[in-house]
Amino acid sequence: MEMLNLHCGIDRADGGVVRLSICNSGTLNILSSAVTDGVREGFEKLAGDKDIRVVILSGQSEKSMIGGADIKEMARLDQKSAEAFITRLRDLCEAVRNFPAPVIARLPGWCLGGGLEVAAACDFRIAARDAKFGMPEVRVGIPSVIHAALLPRLIGWGRARWLVMTAQHIDAPTALAWGLVDVVAKEGGIDAAVEHTVKALLECGPEALRAQKALLRQWEELPLTESVNLSVGVFGQSFLTGEPQRLMQGFLDRKNRRREA
């Protein structure tokens, strides 16, 4: 593993696949200020690498990707330092959300609070069969904030309200049924499930995927008519890369060969 800093390590695989691991943050991969800054810095450092096609975000242990934010640190905060703490976490979520290539959250075990906010900022969420999800902040006297705002967009207002106001956990099958995660792996099969999604992404045009991710982020913010009209220019600009011409011609060539066979 190549360490980008104390709390962020990467493993590179063929095809532009990078596994980014949250390191030296305890068995549950808890987000202290230092860990949050380290992981954010890792994403920011990698963002300019156009050879990266997929990032898999993972914890160092199988107990969680991110178990939550550091309660020991938060218990000592005042108003000013609390705002600084949550701003760090916001900036991490934004670094994930705005990363140019697709980001897959690999979710074994617990995914709570700030961990679920980071997962929500990822493009895909793949959970182990025994994964558990929750937003327990109100139990310790704070509201769920920042990228918890993505939850109503993912699962609807009623389910988001239930998560952030009851502080109850849900299991992986429930998370799948709600749309909180995209895949629940077979027992012991989380890495195979991740690789299946990676394979699908690698079969797509890398420039097209980057453009699609950027469009999706804008669609989250814009009214429908603006989203539609914005897409026209993005579609045209894609032809400047040469990727559509190459991939479409390849499709036509394969189709012609099948006809001739």
Side-chain angles (χ1 to χ4, degrees):
M1 181 185 295
E2 174 190 353
M3 296 301 295
L4 301 183
N5 56 59
L6 179 63
H7 298 297
C8 183
I10 60 170
D11 294 287
R12 295 180 184 267
D14 293 339
V17 179
V18 172
R19 178 162 169 161
L20 188 154
S21 297
I22 301 167
C23 301
N24 301 307
S25 54
T27 57
L28 286 175
N29 301 303
I30 298 298
L31 292 178
S32 65
S33 290
V35 174
T36 301
D37 285 347
V39 179
R40 174 187 52 77
E41 289 167 8
F43 271 101
E44 290 175 349
K45 184 173 183 178
L46 295 175
D49 187 343
K50 290 195 173 182
D51 291 331
I52 294 176
R53 298 186 59 184
V54 183
V55 171
I56 303 163
L57 179 57
S58 176
Q60 225 177 358
S61 81
E62 290 301 300
K63 291 187 176 181
S64 71
M65 181 186 82
I66 299 170
D70 189 345
I71 291 181
K72 290 181 181 178
E73 182 177 351
M74 286 192 290
R76 302 191 299 269
L77 300 177
D78 56 22
Q79 180 181 358
K80 185 175 181 180
S81 57
E83 290 178 1
F85 181 93
I86 204 64
T87 297
R88 284 187 167 93
L89 184 52
R90 179 203 66 188
D91 292 347
L92 168 58
C93 290
E94 284 297 287
V96 173
R97 188 167 170 261
N98 293 317
F99 193 82
V103 179
I104 299 171
R106 180 186 180 277
L107 300 168
W110 292 98
C111 183
L112 302 174
L116 187 49
E117 289 162 15
V118 175
C122 295
D123 300 290
F124 304 98
R125 286 161 292 280
I126 299 177
R129 175 66 56 180
D130 62 350
K132 298 274 194 304
F133 303 87
M135 298 296 291
E137 285 88 341
V138 291
R139 283 189 183 173
V140 292
I142 54 175
S144 296
V145 293
I146 57 167
H147 289 69
L150 292 171
L151 294 176
R153 293 163 169 82
L154 289 171
I155 62 176
W157 281 101
R159 287 165 174 168
R161 185 179 295 113
W162 192 90
L163 274 180
V164 301
M165 295 187 73
T166 71
Q168 295 293 299
H169 302 148
I170 59 172
D171 59 16
T174 302
L176 180 64
W178 284 13
L180 186 60
V181 301
D182 302 296
V183 176
V184 172
K186 296 177 181 178
E187 187 173 353
I190 188 169
D191 287 316
V194 168
E195 287 305 312
H196 180 79
T197 302
V198 168
K199 182 176 183 294
L201 292 170
L202 293 181
E203 290 172 351
C204 302
E207 295 293 339
L209 270 181
R210 285 173 173 247
Q212 190 68 76
K213 175 168 179 173
L215 266 179
L216 282 162
R217 294 296 173 257
Q218 291 171 300
W219 289 349
E220 288 175 352
E221 307 287 346
L222 294 173
L224 177 59
T225 299
E226 289 182 51
S227 296
V228 170
N229 292 337
L230 172 71
S231 302
V232 173
V234 175
F235 182 81
Q237 289 165 14
S238 69
F239 283 81
L240 296 174
T241 68
E243 191 172 89
Q245 297 92 327
R246 176 174 56 83
L247 294 179
M248 290 180 187
Q249 191 59 52
F251 172 80
L252 293 172
D253 291 345
R254 289 191 299 273
K255 187 175 180 181
N256 289 334
R257 284 196 295 270
R258 285 196 297 269
R259 285 177 176 173
E260 293 169 359

